[in-house]
């Protein structure tokens, strides 16, 4: 199957080469697990160029391969009972997802020790 067939999800009953699987709409195009406390650190990732600490509870995930637009899906969770938001103070872009974590008691910005982000969309 070629890129167009993967994106269109046509049933061609053909072999899909590993380098074309990423064109399937249902495959995660990027993910990361990172520590957002102290000196932030990536624990594991795929298609992530870097992360940036923008202040207490605010991080940028920079995708190694940009999405085709800012219209891609993000799923996020964080440790314990922290609240987590996407694009809190910046509009999403094709290459960067902003992540914000807050304390559940007062919704004030707070660092989280475990943050997980997964992205689905067209690249």
């Amino acid at each position: 199957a070629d890129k167009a067939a993967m994106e269109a999800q046509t049933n061609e009953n053909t072999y899909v080469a590993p380098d074309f699987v990423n064109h399937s709409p249902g495959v995660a195009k990027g993910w990361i697990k990172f520590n957002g406390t102290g000196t932030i650190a990536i624990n594991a990732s795929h298609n992530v160029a870097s992360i940036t600490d923008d202040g207490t509870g605010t991080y940028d995930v920079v995708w190694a391969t940009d999405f085709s637009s800012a219209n891609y899906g993000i799923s996020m969770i964080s440790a314990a009972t922290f609240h987590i938001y996407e694009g809190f103070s910046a509009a999403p872009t094709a290459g960067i997802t902003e992540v914000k974590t807050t304390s559940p008691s007062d919704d004030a910005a707070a660092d989280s020790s475990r943050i997980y982000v997964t992205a689905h969309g067209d690249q």
Side-chain angles (χ1 to χ4, degrees):
D2 61 12
K3 179 180 176 183
M6 291 299 298
E7 290 177 341
Q9 300 183 54
T10 57
N11 183 3
E12 296 181 2
N13 293 324
T14 58
Y15 169 75
V16 177
D19 57 336
F20 279 110
V21 171
N22 65 319
H23 296 296
S24 175
V27 174
K29 303 307 188 300
W31 57 265
I32 184 171
K33 174 188 177 190
F34 68 96
N35 179 351
T37 60
T39 301
I40 62 172
I42 296 173
N43 300 117
S45 69
H46 167 69
N47 191 35
V48 173
S50 64
I51 54 174
T52 305
D53 188 345
D54 290 334
T56 303
T58 305
Y59 318 91
D60 285 336
V61 176
V62 180
W63 304 111
T65 301
D66 287 359
F67 288 83
S68 60
S69 73
N71 298 319
Y72 53 95
I74 299 293
S75 299
M76 301 183 293
I77 59 172
S78 69
T81 58
F82 283 83
H83 297 154
I84 190 163
Y85 307 93
E86 185 267 334
F88 202 72
S89 64
T93 69
I96 298 173
T97 298
E98 184 185 63
V99 177
K100 175 93 172 180
T101 55
T102 63
S103 167
S105 61
D106 60 5
D107 214 28
D111 290 339
S112 177
S113 61
R114 289 184 313 278
I115 301 169
Y116 308 83
V117 179
T118 303
H120 290 81
D122 186 51
Q123 290 182 308

